[in-house]
Amino acid sequence: MMIRANGPFDYGLAYDFMAQQDDCLYRAQAGTIRKAAVLDGLRVLFEVSEGSEANSVEVAILMNEGVPESTVRNYVIEWFDLEYDLDAFYRFARQDGRLGPVVETLYGYRMTCTVDMMEGLLWSVLGQQINMRFAFTLKRRLVEHFGHHIAFEGERYWLMPEPAEILALDTESMRSMQISYRKAEYIHRCADGIEAGTLSKAFLERMDDYESALAHLTSIKGIGPWSANSVLMRTLKFRNAVPIGDAGLKNAIRMTDNLEEKPDRAYIQAVTDEWGGHGAYATLYMWRVLG
DNA sequence: TGCCAGGGTCTTT
DNA sequence: AAAGACCATGGC
């Protein structure tokens, strides 16, 4: 099936970004991206590749336990953020001194979202303060520990474990994966919240006010402003969410503004205030000015 | 080798 | 309110 984006979309840019990540929950190879997922309790393996028409992707289902095609379609729309009005962002960005140059070189670049809430929260905790390479290693160890995968053509396509399974995983097992005690505790809290419903995606989606959702997320021990906004941006699609304090964003602003030192919190706040409702995509593009 | 990493909490000024 | 200690370990 083919899916067209709302406005410009460059599959190659999405592919290149995803291929350079070391994410165990999809496989990027030879221009195609394969992913296994459990959707409404049923397993499915599908493949995304460049669409035959402009600004589109092609989706092929490789293995399916009965997930409706429309469900897979909606998943891919969310994953590649194909509904976002990218032209509206560009109209704003072209008039911005920082964003103007970078949006020209990345025309059609969209966010790769994290559809699953447990995965989004897990990443927002694992990604705290450590280098990305190591964070991906930790994620891989945790995911592979549970062993859930779909085998296809001699390869394993790993599935995200359920919150209940993560909740049941003891701290010592996580420590043996080199996840710190604190992060193990935070991950348990997140899994518990999803199980209880107060951190479920459906619950937070109903909380359509940004300030309320932010306050709710940061009330969880271990979820600070950076982690909360990471989830608001990539899983809940709040377009004004910006991970304040993000190291990459600091470095990017330092570069665009030609600063001697990294900008402080007030400086960053002033910049992100200018972005307003375009903050999430402004951040996405700013990350790319570092190369 | 030392500094930095897509931070957060808790304690102390 | 702001600054410092501590966590914890890989990557470059």
Side-chain angles (χ1 to χ4, degrees):
Chain A
M1 74 185 114
M2 193 187 68
I3 307 173
R4 253 188 299 273
N6 176 17
F9 171 68
D10 187 325
Y11 174 80
L13 286 173
Y15 178 85
D16 289 345
F17 170 76
M18 294 174 76
Q20 77 173 33
Q21 308 283 98
D22 185 30
D23 195 324
C24 60
L25 289 178
Y26 61 80
R27 179 184 298 275
Q29 198 166 29
T32 69
I33 302 165
R34 289 179 174 180
K35 180 170 184 67
V38 180
L39 304 179
D40 299 328
L42 300 170
R43 294 180 172 196
V44 62
L45 173 68
F46 56 93
E47 179 179 277
V48 180
S49 55
E50 180 148 32
S52 53
E53 294 184 14
N55 308 316
S56 74
V57 292
E58 182 66 29
V59 183
I61 294 173
L62 305 176
M63 195 292 295
N64 196 356
E65 287 184 346
V67 178
E69 191 175 280
S70 62
T71 302
V72 176
R73 180 186 186 85
N74 289 335
Y75 187 98
V76 173
I77 290 170
E78 265 203 73
W79 190 18
F80 288 85
D81 208 16
L82 299 176
E83 275 192 344
Y84 182 62
D85 185 357
L86 192 56
D87 278 321
F89 169 69
Y90 284 159
R91 283 194 290 275
F92 167 81
R94 288 199 185 99
Q95 298 176 12
D96 182 278
R98 299 182 187 86
L99 299 168
V102 66
V103 298
E104 288 307 315
T105 61
L106 291 170
Y107 186 74
Y109 180 55
R110 286 172 185 262
M111 194 180 303
T112 301
C113 293
T114 310
V115 179
D116 182 77
M117 191 64 176
M118 186 68 243
E119 186 186 351
L121 285 166
L122 173 70
W123 186 248
S124 77
V125 171
L126 287 182
Q128 292 171 6
Q129 188 55 24
I130 59 175
N131 66 73
M132 300 266 310
R133 184 84 55 177
F134 185 43
F136 279 121
T137 300
L138 295 178
K139 179 177 178 180
R140 180 182 301 278
R141 286 176 185 159
L142 187 71
V143 167
E144 294 189 355
H145 169 82
F146 293 95
H148 306 317
H149 67 273
I150 294 172
F152 185 79
E153 293 178 348
E155 299 280 4
R156 288 183 172 190
Y157 296 89
W158 294 94
L159 293 154
M160 183 66 198
E162 297 298 318
E165 296 179 292
I166 292 174
L167 188 56
L169 180 63
D170 62 288
T171 307
E172 285 310 317
S173 296
M174 286 205 247
R175 273 301 295 144
S176 69
M177 300 171 195
Q178 290 181 290
I179 295 171
S180 71
Y181 277 113
R182 284 192 184 166
K183 286 188 179 178
E185 179 196 339
Y186 301 161
I187 291 164
H188 275 141
R189 285 175 191 274
C190 290
D192 187 46
I194 293 175
E195 276 293 282
T198 58
L199 273 184
S200 72
K201 192 174 178 183
F203 181 83
L204 279 153
E205 277 174 338
R206 283 195 295 275
M207 205 177 275
D208 56 357
D209 167 49
Y210 169 78
E211 296 297 338
S212 303
L214 178 65
H216 184 72
L217 282 164
T218 53
S219 72
I220 308 302
K221 191 172 172 184
I223 304 296
W226 179 86
S227 300
N229 278 296
S230 168
V231 172
L232 288 169
M233 181 176 148
R234 299 226 308 269
T235 299
L236 297 166
K237 297 183 186 294
F238 279 82
R239 306 307 185 175
N240 57 333
V242 176
I244 298 288
D246 181 82
L249 185 57
K250 275 184 194 168
N251 290 330
I253 292 173
R254 181 184 173 186
M255 177 175 284
T256 57
D257 293 28
N258 204 14
L259 305 174
E260 296 282 331
E261 305 284 332
K262 285 185 195 172
D264 59 20
R265 204 189 66 80
Y267 192 99
I268 296 168
Q269 189 69 57
V271 173
T272 60
D273 283 350
E274 293 176 31
W275 293 339
H278 303 289
Y281 262 74
T283 302
L284 185 75
Y285 276 77
M286 284 294 279
W287 278 331
R288 299 296 296 265
V289 306
L290 297 167

